[in-house]
Amino acid sequence: MDATTSGSSSSIPFHTIVDPSLSLMPPLQQTFQRVQRHCFGDSTPGEFPLAASPSIVLHVLTACNLDPQDLANLEASSVTCTFFRKPANFTPDFQLSITELAALDMCQKRAIFKPMTSEERDFLKQRCGGSWKLVLRYILAGEACCRRENSQAIAGPGHSIAVTSSGSVYSFGSNSSGQLGHGTLEEEWRPRLIRSLQGIRIIQAAAGAGRTMLISDAGRVYAFGKDSFGEAEYAVQGSKVVTTPQMVESLRDIYVVQAAIGNFFTAVLSREGRVYTFCWGNDSKLGHHTEPNDLEPRLLLGPLENVPVVQIAAGYCYLLALACQPSGMSVYSVGCGLGGKLGHGSRTDEKYPRLIEQFQALNLQPTVVAAGAWHAAVVGRDGRVCTWGWGRYGCLGHGNEDCESVPKVVESLDNIKAIHVATGDYTTFVVSDTGDVYSFGCGESSSLGHSTAIDGQGNRHANVLSPRLVTSLKDINERVVQISLTNSIYWNAHTFALTDSGKLYAFGAGDKGQLGVELVAQQTERGTPECVEIDLS
């Protein structure tokens, strides 16, 4: 059972409605009694037969787990609006409408909402726009784009993290800084359970060069590896190593639901949709001024202070934030603008988060964001994919290596509906709603998954300028739901493909054991996906 729907019995009481005319009728007469029913009551707008039994309607709405937009449509319909807009006179709030009560009840089933106090819930409601339907949309959006509460695999720089659906964590690969969390500095070529986390349920993970961060279902953050939130690559910071998961004390008072590790900084997202950053604050690059080794989280200032964020993505010196507003979903960017990766039509830096306006012009509602080292990507609600930034090696998928300073739709993917996108160092993967996987960009380390020749000369390392179906993944006859690839300019890349059955497939660079599979003598990479011996379901 999905942890997000555990305890699915409705927290709102089901009121039994007894029809007195039927209860007084002799049993035999009940059998032959015919009652004529009309589809919409007496054809009066805003009324229908179940209006006399609102508790039944509430039970049905809650049990069906309707989308927040469906609930809003019931209030907007000229046929049902009167009934669904008026106060339902039910606890816990007699003034709430049936649809608002249904949304609140569905919120109460979500893992991040359950432990909140009444004051915290009311604060989140106001922050989301004053409606429980908007709160529900916010929670569901975060779960969908981050695989929160579901199994996931992270292809970090030289090491890998795998989280099972029950919250256990396995690690393998390079361990020079203790980033595997086993209390040693020894490499692991097979997935190994982090036993010190026993009794702690992990819901999200992030991996950077030499360090790892884990988020528990209680909102606690555990970190190990390089003892630094700043410089992520080869620098003097983080000379001290931590070889077992340790709680980040400076985040104890913040309920964290996601972490993202970029170059020179780390970012975390709170349950209320606030973004905090560590380090890289010199010259107010992230809306605040701090020292590079600052260990205190700083609230990301600017337009996002009062806008709830559902997902963050970190690249080389920049950050993307997927925001959830009453008017719809939007994307903000902040940091280094080289290559046009901030998406504002220029290559200038942004000290504060700035709205990427191009999505409005494209009439696209973003649902997932991905930040590669030098380029970025978004999936829209309608399944379209947009990319922008540095186009080297064809990583934008537009058939060339040109830079794009504003989001541009990948036209060659018009025949599919995308649900997921992942970006790395000049590499991009797209997953369709049928489970097919497409990749494009830099072919180094065989990390694109194209095991056969793609340049007509037997070179599986060739760059791919336009999206190409990864046939090696299609051949496994499994539906892929998540792709993760290395997002580092200093490490050879490897890639994970997670299927809906919980199987994990790996390919690309494996010289440090980061694939979780043994390589034959003299091999440093794997060109075709191989199943890792671990069950993440």
Side-chain angles (χ1 to χ4, degrees):
M1 179 181 295
D2 189 340
T4 57
T5 58
S6 61
S8 58
S9 60
S10 176
S11 59
I12 297 178
F14 184 95
H15 301 271
T16 303
I17 306 297
V18 179
D19 190 329
S21 62
L22 290 180
S23 62
L24 297 175
M25 194 176 296
L28 289 178
Q29 289 182 338
Q30 288 188 39
T31 305
F32 299 103
Q33 179 72 17
R34 291 178 179 270
V35 178
Q36 185 174 1
R37 299 191 181 275
H38 301 279
C39 182
F40 298 115
D42 295 325
S43 300
T44 302
E47 296 181 0
F48 62 107
L50 284 178
S53 304
S55 62
I56 295 179
V57 178
L58 177 59
H59 182 74
V60 170
L61 294 181
T62 302
C64 290
N65 287 321
L66 292 182
D67 183 90
Q69 185 59 52
D70 295 329
L71 296 176
N73 290 340
L74 289 174
E75 292 185 351
S77 170
S78 60
V79 174
T80 60
C81 62
T82 301
F83 172 75
F84 284 106
R85 284 180 180 175
K86 67 182 181 182
N89 293 316
F90 285 155
T91 58
D93 188 338
F94 292 102
Q95 297 302 312
L96 292 181
S97 66
I98 285 286
T99 52
E100 277 289 277
L101 281 169
L104 173 58
D105 196 45
M106 284 186 274
C107 286
Q108 291 173 337
K109 298 174 184 177
R110 319 316 292 185
I112 70 169
F113 192 85
K114 285 180 181 179
M116 297 179 75
T117 65
S118 297
E119 292 76 14
E120 290 171 337
R121 293 179 178 184
D122 288 339
F123 175 77
L124 179 60
K125 179 182 178 182
Q126 295 307 314
R127 186 168 168 79
C128 288
S131 164
W132 292 120
K133 292 187 289 294
L134 294 176
V135 173
L136 179 61
R137 186 185 69 168
Y138 165 77
I139 295 175
L140 295 179
E143 291 176 356
C145 62
C146 300
R147 288 193 61 78
R148 196 179 301 149
E149 306 289 332
N150 291 304
S151 58
Q152 57 185 272
I154 309 297
H159 76 289
S160 304
I161 304 295
V163 182
T164 71
S165 58
S166 61
S168 298
V169 182
Y170 292 79
S171 61
F172 43 103
S174 175
N175 196 28
S176 57
S177 299
Q179 62 264 42
L180 298 186
H182 301 303
T184 71
L185 298 178
E186 299 177 0
E187 292 178 356
E188 297 288 343
W189 283 71
R190 294 287 185 180
R192 179 180 173 185
L193 179 68
I194 303 180
R195 299 190 180 279
S196 60
L197 291 171
Q198 185 175 2
I200 300 173
R201 184 170 181 269
I202 300 300
I203 62 170
Q204 205 265 337
R211 57 202 177 97
T212 304
M213 297 180 73
L214 304 175
I215 314 299
S216 77
D217 61 352
R220 302 297 189 195
V221 180
Y222 298 85
F224 42 102
K226 287 184 180 179
D227 187 22
S228 169
F229 289 107
E231 172 59 69
E233 305 294 350
Y234 296 83
V236 296
Q237 294 182 48
S239 56
K240 178 184 176 183
V241 298
V242 178
T243 60
T244 57
Q246 302 293 321
M247 185 186 299
V248 180
E249 291 295 332
S250 60
L251 290 170
R252 179 180 289 274
D253 295 330
I254 301 174
Y255 194 113
V256 176
V257 294
Q258 188 200 350
I261 300 176
N263 295 76
F264 304 106
F265 75 101
T266 296
V268 297
L269 178 65
S270 77
R271 177 174 55 186
E272 297 78 22
R274 287 173 163 166
V275 181
Y276 296 83
T277 59
F278 295 86
C279 309
W280 201 49
N282 1 8
D283 299 325
S284 300
K285 286 188 177 71
L286 290 176
H288 57 74
H289 184 93
T290 61
E291 296 301 319
N293 59 350
D294 188 8
L295 297 181
E296 292 296 322
R298 308 288 177 172
L299 181 65
L300 187 60
L301 302 178
L304 290 179
E305 290 182 70
N306 298 310
V307 176
V309 172
V310 300
Q311 182 200 357
I312 53 176
Y316 194 84
C317 309
Y318 76 108
L319 180 73
L320 298 179
L322 178 63
C324 184
Q325 298 169 290
S327 58
M329 307 296 288
S330 56
V331 180
Y332 290 76
S333 62
V334 61
C336 173
L338 286 178
K341 60 184 182 237
L342 295 185
H344 304 302
S346 68
R347 300 186 181 186
T348 58
D349 297 349
E350 296 291 340
K351 294 183 178 181
Y352 297 93
R354 179 180 172 185
L355 174 68
I356 300 179
E357 300 177 353
Q358 181 67 8
F359 294 117
Q360 296 176 355
L362 295 173
N363 192 28
L364 186 144
Q365 281 277 325
T367 58
V368 180
V369 298
W374 296 99
H375 74 292
V378 153
V379 172
R381 186 180 300 276
D382 57 6
R384 286 184 291 168
V385 178
C386 287
T387 58
W388 67 96
W390 221 309
R392 192 176 182 185
Y393 305 123
C395 63
L396 301 185
H398 301 307
N400 54 48
E401 297 188 52
D402 297 341
C403 294
E404 298 290 344
S405 59
V406 295
K408 180 179 179 179
V409 175
V410 182
E411 295 181 356
S412 56
L413 290 174
D414 283 348
N415 60 331
I416 73 163
K417 182 177 182 180
I419 60 170
H420 174 72
V421 65
T423 52
D425 183 23
Y426 298 119
T427 309
T428 307
F429 278 76
V430 174
V431 181
S432 75
D433 60 348
T434 61
D436 288 337
V437 179
Y438 299 79
S439 67
F440 42 99
C442 181
E444 186 179 352
S445 306
S446 301
S447 61
L448 291 180
H450 302 300
S451 56
T452 57
I454 53 180
D455 63 353
Q457 300 178 0
N459 180 13
R460 70 186 185 192
H461 292 170
N463 302 325
V464 181
L465 303 185
S466 296
R468 177 183 172 93
L469 178 67
V470 184
T471 55
S472 59
L473 283 174
K474 193 173 182 65
D475 291 342
I476 66 177
N477 294 319
E478 293 267 0
R479 183 174 180 271
V480 176
V481 293
Q482 184 216 359
I483 292 286
S484 177
L485 62 155
T486 307
N487 189 13
S488 170
I489 64 175
Y490 294 107
W491 287 82
N492 289 332
H494 69 290
T495 305
F496 285 134
L498 178 63
T499 71
D500 59 356
S501 64
K503 292 182 180 178
L504 183 64
Y505 291 85
F507 50 95
D511 55 313
K512 296 294 184 180
Q514 63 265 48
L515 294 180
V517 298
E518 294 287 350
L519 298 177
V520 299
Q522 307 304 316
Q523 275 194 337
T524 60
E525 63 185 47
R526 182 170 182 83
T528 57
E530 180 170 340
C531 189
V532 183
E533 294 182 4
I534 182 175
D535 184 6
L536 299 183
S537 62

